[in-house]
Amino acid sequence: MSQYPNYGQTQQPYQGQANPSNPNPQFRPPVAPSPGGYQQTSAAYPNGASNQQYMQNNAQGFSGQQQDQSYFPPQQGIQPQQQHAMGQPDMAGLTNQMGGMGIGGENAGGYGAPSAERPRKKRDRHAHHTIEQPAGGSQAFNGMPQGGGGGPYANQFANQFSQGAAPAANQFPVAASSYAPGSTTITTEPPPQQPGTPLVGMPVQSSQGRVDPEQIPSVPRSRDVPAAHFLEHLYPTIEQHLPPPAAVPFVAYDQGNASPKFTRLTLNNIPASNDHLASTGLPLGLILQPLTRLQEGEQPIPVIDYGDVGPPRCRRCRAYINPFMTFRSGGNKFVCNMCTFPNDVTPEYFSPTDPSGIRIDRMQRPELHLGTVEFMVPKEYWAKEPVGLRWLFLVDVSAEAINRGFLDAVCEGILNALYGDSNPNDEDPGANGAEKRKLPEESRIGIVTYDREVHFYNLSPGLSQAQMMVMSDVEDAFVPLSKGLFVDPVESRKVITSLVKELPNMFSQVKSPDPALLPTLDAALAALSKTGGKIICSLASLPTWGPGRLFVRDDGKMHGNDAEKRLFTTEHAEWKRTANKMVESGVGVDFFMAAPSGGYLDIATIGHVSGLTGGEVYYYPNFHAPRDTLKLSNEIKHTVTRETGYQALMKVRCSNGLQVSAYHGNFLQHTFGADLEFGTIDADKALAVMFSYDGKLDPRLDAHFQSALLYTTANGERRVRCSNIVASVSDGAMEGMKFVDQDAVTNIIAREAASRMVERSLKDIRNALTEKTVDILAGYRKNFSGSHPPGQLVLPENLKEFSMYMLGLTKSRAFKGGREPTDRRVHDVRMMKSMGPTEMSLYLYPRIYSVHNLGEQDGFANEKGHLRMPNSIRASFSKIEEGGAYIVDNGQVCLLWLHAQVSPNLLEDLFGPEYTDLQKLDPFMSQLPVLETHLNAQVRNILQYLEGTRGSKALTIQLARQGLDGAEYEFARLLYEDRNNEAQSYVDWLVHLHRHIQLELAGQRKKEDTSGEATALAGFAGLRAPYWN
């Protein structure tokens, strides 16, 4: 290891970076504190009932089977103190239950599967991050090189977090690398050079023809075990090649490879040729969430300013400087890792190199050792003078908004977003102004109301109250104010607060039934055209007035036929034109749309504006003011306070041999190959990038990818955020199957399916999803699984739960069979195209926790300060116990389901002593009361934890009492493992997949007739037509 003697040892970390030599780093996941005003340890209150008394001894009740605490295979060479993280479930007898089908699985690698030693890569080809394949005999080190193949990272973090590593591998940080998911299968094919690995089970055939639901792959288990692991351990981005599950919170340690929170590759080991990739059936793609939120304990993204020179870039492909570029000629040249072009180093950026070719200032330059950084950029990167973000609130004051309480809720949300809980009478920020200010100091806000007319307000701080100016002629939109429309929310707090509080009364006497939405958007665009900005628009009824008026298109006659797809898009030229102009001006729109009477709002047309500009639609079907006010208020606050950029452009670059073939998301792209344009982009938005081969990759070199987002921050700085990710390359596809990211694959397929909504019928899309699932599993069975009995279903180790996620996709509101309101279906499709991996994972399979049998320590911090979460249960009614209470969260809604025979003691401890019966509960309750009971504190802490690990939707509870509330139907819909949503149960789905896999292996499989679809897809962004067949 003398090649890199100073790496990470003598150099000082940059701006608070964790020192690798520190054995006790300050990295830890967020812990849900006890709710405000209520602090409690894990001890129960004297008058708090024990959770055991909530369980009713009912003989005919459902009994949920306790899941094993661990599913780690036994490892050799691990010290006893690490054995608590290892273990192996008793999976024997699984095939007995599978009958003639059998579920088998391959130990395809996961975090720790071994493989044969690969030839070394070219020396110094990719800076100082050697991406090797796993080698050696131990699975405990997550694919890191063993023995002499350690590469430059063998000693880099030798002392970091090590806790008694085995002598044979003490150069690796065990605490950061001991996680390896266990096998799901009844039989595993022993990997090469590992004779000591026991089989998980023996293949046994049975003629019973039944499947034990307990033994099929479990999504809750695949989340709970990694969550427990990453609660105590970091995720090092170079040493581990397989990211944690998307629904699992973790702290990433950036070692030069971008965190999976920013970038996720479908294959972290890429086949060298297109033919090898085709044999897997998997897509090659990348999920990007460039502004995602960081977790407590993660270092902030460094901002680097090169002044007027700008960041160093490759002269040929224009890639930005990154950790994988190499320096030669004594530091006078740097070689691009994307196109291999040698570039001259400018005098300002020059630094000498040591004898091994490493710049001596490497650890002082974040762009040379971190995977994600931001560059300040000079004026040639500006489209217009950058200023602080302008927020413009467009408030619907029509009759429906007033009568249903929607206007009151919106006004409450605006004040909550701007000022929170601070004292409204304290107008002087004083010394604590930074704490009271919710927006960056350079940001400005404006308020406009509309019905048949558009009302602008002068909010200048010198006024005693706001001045209204009315634009009555909506045929020719303009801005009647030249001054006072956009103000500092702190300086004008008194004026803004009095206006917003008075809005419901101002329009209560004169109610206009028809809102004129498009003219209002055009006027807002005129106000923001010079600077760009963000529009927050509320709407409570179909806009049927003025230019761009809409009509009810969904008459119910188009459902279930080919004409239905016309309802999923807009053909309105004026709305399209406005959306395009907004993107060009750097303006984005978020809509808050409520249908208090369950009416039609034409989200397909209105949502087109938010979809194209990079915004979002928050939809409240059957809005009810007491129940949904808190959710609406919190979501407005989240929208305003999350990290948001505007006037954004994005470019994705990749190594020679690959090319970008398609993008999926909410953005504007004028021609293929052009940059992606966003009016605004925020922390919750993600997009997918597809790649295809334009040659053959060199297995001796790595494949590199870089995303560059050019945007203006909310405080008015023009920056580029760069994220870099690297993947190894192998001759065949076997190694690639060991490093498949299940969440990235699911995200890619879901987004492509959403993109097909306007082209294909829902039935065709569901069939295509089924065929794609069969293609992937059959490809693995045929090419990579070795010898197994024909009647056995073999699942790849890293795609164990893939079939369940695909079943959840076909059962989602976006694609499910049967009748579904068009607005709800279109809303979910557009949301699916932009949601991040965490939100997608929860959307496709909800997390469910039982409340009635929580352990005494559940919901409280452990001795290390981490919240102890209970294990989640499977989404099946067979797991629901009589007398039980359950939290069901799919990232969009959070239900509290209560069995009809729930214990009165539980109700008292959870809701208060006056509630001893389900019928006494307020059906419009949206949050739990704060009580000094053990159970109440547990559940509130758990809900607070769930709120921190989701997407853009606020978490408020909705009661679903058995036999009493309509939300019970939503609860039943979310039990995705059961037969519902016009689709099969999980067990029947696996049987169906296995039958088609057997037909594929026998050469007798007949696919659906997709000739028309194949023709439509043949020219789509260079993708092969069979990808979607």
Side-chain angles (χ1 to χ4, degrees):
M1 292 300 112
S2 60
Q3 182 180 1
Y4 310 115
N6 298 322
Y7 185 82
Q9 296 177 8
T10 62
Q11 302 292 345
Q12 294 299 319
Y14 175 84
Q15 293 184 357
Q17 178 183 345
N19 192 336
S21 63
N22 180 9
N24 297 307
Q26 299 301 314
F27 287 86
R28 65 186 183 91
V31 178
S34 296
Y38 174 57
Q39 299 295 328
Q40 176 180 347
T41 63
S42 60
Y45 277 84
N47 56 355
S50 169
N51 288 349
Q52 296 300 320
Q53 64 179 302
Y54 304 140
M55 301 295 300
Q56 297 189 2
N57 297 324
N58 199 325
Q60 67 270 25
F62 300 102
S63 176
Q65 180 173 341
Q66 181 69 27
Q67 295 186 357
D68 297 332
Q69 295 302 312
S70 174
Y71 67 149
F72 293 107
Q75 304 292 334
Q76 298 179 357
I78 303 300
Q79 297 291 350
Q81 59 265 35
Q82 278 128 18
Q83 290 297 327
H84 70 279
M86 307 291 173
Q88 176 176 329
D90 182 13
M91 300 295 290
L94 175 59
T95 311
N96 285 333
Q97 303 295 337
M98 298 302 293
M101 169 184 170
I103 287 189
E106 286 299 308
N107 188 355
Y111 277 73
S115 68
E117 179 77 20
R118 280 180 43 216
R120 295 281 296 181
K121 300 182 187 301
K122 290 180 179 178
R123 185 173 181 269
D124 296 339
R125 170 61 181 86
H126 293 301
H128 320 295
H129 303 272
T130 302
I131 308 300
E132 295 286 357
Q133 296 308 310
S138 175
Q139 290 186 355
F141 303 102
N142 305 309
M144 291 186 291
Q146 304 292 309
Y153 268 82
N155 293 322
Q156 180 184 354
F157 304 109
N159 299 320
Q160 183 187 11
F161 323 124
S162 66
Q163 300 174 0
N170 58 9
Q171 69 269 36
F172 294 107
V174 172
S177 61
S178 59
Y179 172 64
S183 176
T184 303
T185 66
I186 61 162
T187 179
T188 55
E189 194 173 88
Q193 302 178 1
Q194 193 173 2
T197 303
L199 296 179
V200 181
M202 296 300 296
V204 181
Q205 298 299 325
S206 169
S207 59
Q208 297 178 6
R210 297 179 182 177
V211 178
D212 183 1
E214 297 298 327
Q215 302 299 333
I216 57 182
S218 168
V219 173
R221 186 186 193 86
S222 72
R223 293 171 176 172
D224 291 342
V225 176
H229 172 84
F230 286 108
L231 194 65
E232 306 290 342
H233 303 83
L234 302 179
Y235 173 79
T237 60
I238 283 287
E239 295 165 20
Q240 291 187 357
H241 305 306
L242 196 62
V248 171
F250 63 93
V251 173
Y253 181 54
D254 191 338
Q255 298 176 320
N257 213 23
S259 165
K261 296 178 182 179
F262 296 102
T263 57
R264 277 181 177 264
L265 273 171
T266 56
L267 293 166
N268 292 281
N269 180 290
I270 300 175
S273 68
N274 187 44
D275 291 339
H276 289 140
L277 177 66
S279 66
T280 68
L282 293 167
L284 177 57
L286 181 67
I287 301 296
L288 295 172
Q289 193 170 354
L291 299 182
T292 188
R293 288 179 294 276
L294 297 176
Q295 197 162 305
E296 179 188 352
E298 293 180 327
Q299 57 182 338
I301 304 301
V303 180
I304 307 160
D305 189 2
Y306 289 103
D308 293 336
V309 178
R313 303 180 65 178
C314 174
R315 288 194 294 119
R316 176 190 287 173
C317 69
R318 305 300 294 159
Y320 290 85
I321 191 75
N322 63 74
F324 303 101
M325 289 186 175
T326 56
F327 290 82
R328 68 188 194 191
S329 300
N332 288 292
K333 288 186 178 293
F334 68 90
V335 180
C336 178
N337 60 313
M338 300 289 173
C339 66
T340 70
F341 182 76
N343 296 267
D344 293 328
V345 176
T346 61
E348 298 84 1
Y349 196 67
F350 174 79
S351 172
T353 58
D354 63 16
S356 58
I358 304 173
R359 284 175 61 116
I360 62 174
D361 67 342
R362 181 170 181 270
M363 294 308 294
Q364 275 72 48
R365 291 194 176 273
E367 71 275 16
L368 297 182
H369 68 266
L370 294 178
T372 301
V373 296
E374 281 197 338
F375 299 107
M376 298 285 289
V377 293
K379 290 186 177 181
E380 55 260 32
Y381 291 78
W382 298 2
K384 57 184 71 173
E385 183 77 21
V387 296
L389 183 58
R390 267 53 178 162
W391 295 87
L392 187 57
F393 295 92
L394 306 183
V395 184
D396 180 5
V397 292
S398 62
E400 187 76 356
I402 297 172
N403 295 338
R404 301 290 182 167
F406 183 61
L407 177 58
D408 294 89
V410 170
C411 292
E412 179 181 324
I414 293 174
L415 292 179
N416 186 33
L418 297 180
Y419 307 112
D421 300 325
S422 57
N423 183 5
N425 297 319
D426 185 4
E427 302 166 22
D428 183 12
N432 298 322
E435 298 179 5
K436 297 178 181 179
R437 187 180 289 275
K438 303 298 180 182
L439 300 179
E441 190 171 353
E442 295 79 7
S443 293
R444 299 292 182 265
I445 72 116
I447 296 176
V448 173
T449 58
Y450 69 99
D451 42 26
R452 288 189 176 184
E453 301 173 331
V454 184
H455 321 106
F456 293 83
Y457 297 90
N458 185 343
L459 303 175
S460 298
L463 300 175
S464 58
Q465 63 180 15
Q467 297 176 345
M468 178 197 291
M469 300 189 70
V470 180
M471 185 185 76
S472 56
D473 183 9
V474 295
E475 298 291 334
D476 185 15
F478 67 98
V479 182
L481 278 176
S482 60
K483 191 176 182 181
L485 178 59
F486 292 102
V487 296
D488 185 327
V490 174
E491 294 178 357
S492 300
R493 177 170 182 172
K494 181 179 178 181
V495 179
I496 294 172
T497 302
S498 62
L499 171 65
V500 173
K501 288 183 176 179
E502 190 63 27
L503 282 180
N505 296 327
M506 287 172 57
F507 296 94
S508 60
Q509 302 301 322
V510 182
K511 299 178 181 179
S512 175
D514 309 311
L517 179 56
L518 186 61
T520 307
L521 292 175
D522 288 335
L525 173 59
L528 293 169
S529 60
K530 293 183 179 180
T531 61
K534 185 68 177 280
I535 296 172
I536 306 295
C537 180
S538 67
L539 180 68
S541 58
L542 188 68
T544 56
W545 187 261
R549 63 179 65 88
L550 301 177
F551 305 94
V552 178
R553 293 192 292 158
D554 186 5
D555 57 3
K557 299 179 181 179
M558 297 184 182
H559 290 265
N561 56 45
D562 288 340
E564 184 179 13
K565 59 179 177 285
R566 291 168 50 195
L567 299 176
F568 302 149
T569 185
T570 180
E571 299 175 355
H572 208 298
E574 293 182 10
W575 286 85
K576 290 183 177 181
R577 184 166 54 251
T578 296
N580 285 320
K581 288 181 179 179
M582 284 186 171
V583 177
E584 294 171 3
S585 301
V587 178
V589 188
D590 282 354
F591 287 105
F592 291 80
M593 303 175 67
S597 305
Y600 177 68
L601 293 178
D602 199 355
I603 292 181
T605 297
I606 299 174
H608 174 79
V609 178
S610 62
L612 200 67
T613 61
E616 186 171 0
V617 172
Y618 294 84
Y619 181 47
Y620 308 89
N622 302 308
F623 178 86
H624 193 279
R627 180 192 64 204
D628 298 324
T629 297
L630 179 62
K631 182 176 176 65
L632 172 62
S633 174
N634 289 344
E635 288 177 350
I636 292 177
K637 179 178 181 180
H638 175 75
T639 298
V640 174
T641 56
R642 66 188 171 189
E643 183 174 5
T644 303
Y646 68 105
Q647 295 179 25
L649 297 172
M650 173 172 276
K651 182 76 172 180
V652 178
R653 297 175 174 89
C654 55
S655 294
N656 287 339
L658 295 173
Q659 62 182 357
V660 175
S661 60
Y663 294 97
H664 298 294
N666 289 337
F667 50 78
L668 175 65
Q669 187 179 26
H670 289 289
T671 59
F672 182 72
D675 292 348
L676 307 184
E677 299 182 37
F678 303 84
T680 58
I681 187 169
D682 57 65
D684 296 312
K685 299 300 180 293
L687 68 152
V689 189
M690 301 289 296
F691 301 98
S692 60
Y693 290 81
D694 64 357
K696 187 174 181 180
L697 300 177
D698 187 346
R700 296 171 298 175
L701 306 178
D702 294 324
H704 295 267
F705 305 87
Q706 182 184 81
S707 70
L709 176 71
L710 173 64
Y711 72 107
T712 304
T713 64
N715 58 4
E717 293 181 349
R718 194 70 170 161
R719 299 180 184 175
V720 172
R721 175 164 293 192
C722 284
S723 292
N724 302 278
I725 189 169
V726 62
S728 52
V729 178
S730 59
D731 277 318
M734 173 62 84
E735 295 298 326
M737 295 302 296
K738 297 179 181 180
F739 298 100
V740 177
D741 187 339
Q742 180 174 251
D743 291 292
V745 172
T746 304
N747 267 260
I748 290 284
I749 295 176
R751 292 168 196 274
E752 183 145 10
S755 300
R756 296 290 177 268
M757 283 283 286
V758 297
E759 304 170 7
R760 309 299 300 169
S761 68
L762 290 171
K763 182 180 178 181
D764 287 343
I765 291 177
R766 288 192 297 271
N767 288 338
L769 291 173
T770 300
E771 297 296 334
K772 188 60 185 172
T773 307
V774 173
D775 285 345
I776 293 173
L777 299 181
Y780 179 78
R781 182 70 170 86
K782 183 192 305 182
N783 301 310
F784 310 109
S785 67
S787 176
H788 289 280
Q792 191 173 23
L793 176 61
V794 182
L795 300 176
E797 173 60 28
N798 295 324
L799 294 173
K800 296 191 305 288
E801 298 80 26
F802 172 69
S803 55
M804 181 63 243
Y805 282 121
M806 298 305 290
L807 177 61
L809 188 59
T810 60
K811 289 186 174 186
S812 66
R813 275 209 166 89
F815 305 118
K816 66 183 287 290
R819 296 186 65 85
E820 186 71 23
T822 302
D823 277 345
R824 301 197 74 168
R825 199 183 289 276
V826 172
H827 167 261
D828 281 30
V829 167
R830 284 229 176 87
M831 179 180 66
M832 188 179 294
K833 291 172 66 176
S834 65
M835 64 172 54
T838 298
E839 193 172 4
M840 179 75 78
S841 179
L842 297 176
Y843 179 77
L844 299 181
Y845 193 98
R847 47 191 175 188
I848 304 177
Y849 299 94
S850 59
V851 172
H852 56 283
N853 57 6
L854 288 174
E856 185 175 338
Q857 305 298 322
D858 290 339
F860 294 105
N862 60 17
E863 62 278 2
K864 295 185 178 180
H866 301 150
L867 187 73
R868 192 192 309 271
M869 285 292 291
N871 287 334
S872 55
I873 67 172
R874 303 180 79 136
S876 172
F877 196 75
S878 64
K879 297 298 181 184
I880 303 302
E881 299 178 357
E882 189 166 352
Y886 296 88
I887 296 171
V888 184
D889 175 31
N890 74 336
Q892 311 299 314
V893 297
C894 183
L895 304 177
L896 180 57
W897 186 85
L898 301 170
H899 192 275
Q901 300 178 24
V902 68
S903 167
N905 291 337
L906 184 146
L907 295 179
E908 289 185 12
D909 286 353
L910 198 56
F911 301 104
E914 66 273 20
Y915 298 103
T916 57
D917 185 82
L918 282 180
Q919 306 224 359
K920 294 182 180 180
L921 295 176
D922 181 6
F924 303 124
M925 178 185 302
S926 60
Q927 60 182 338
L928 290 178
V930 178
L931 305 176
E932 292 189 357
T933 63
H934 189 78
L935 180 67
N936 181 271
Q938 283 180 299
V939 175
R940 284 187 288 112
N941 285 345
I942 290 172
L943 291 174
Q944 203 166 34
Y945 171 86
L946 298 180
E947 188 173 16
T949 54
R950 56 196 287 121
S952 61
K953 306 302 186 295
L955 187 145
T956 58
I957 64 169
Q958 183 173 352
L959 289 184
R961 301 168 294 173
Q962 188 180 31
L964 294 176
D965 296 318
E968 190 183 4
Y969 292 100
E970 179 70 4
F971 170 73
R973 189 188 73 82
L974 293 177
L975 299 178
Y976 280 166
E977 293 197 19
D978 295 338
R979 182 179 179 86
N980 53 24
N981 296 288
E982 305 283 333
Q984 302 157 297
S985 67
Y986 186 19
V987 171
D988 292 341
W989 170 247
L990 287 176
V991 174
H992 175 77
L993 293 178
H994 183 241
R995 184 182 304 116
H996 282 264
I997 291 171
Q998 288 180 310
L999 293 174
E1000 175 71 19
L1001 296 178
Q1004 300 174 359
R1005 176 180 167 211
K1006 295 182 180 180
K1007 298 185 179 182
E1008 298 288 335
D1009 182 12
T1010 55
S1011 57
E1013 184 175 3
T1015 302
L1017 294 178
F1020 178 76
L1023 290 182
R1024 304 182 328 277
Y1027 169 72
W1028 194 247
N1029 288 347

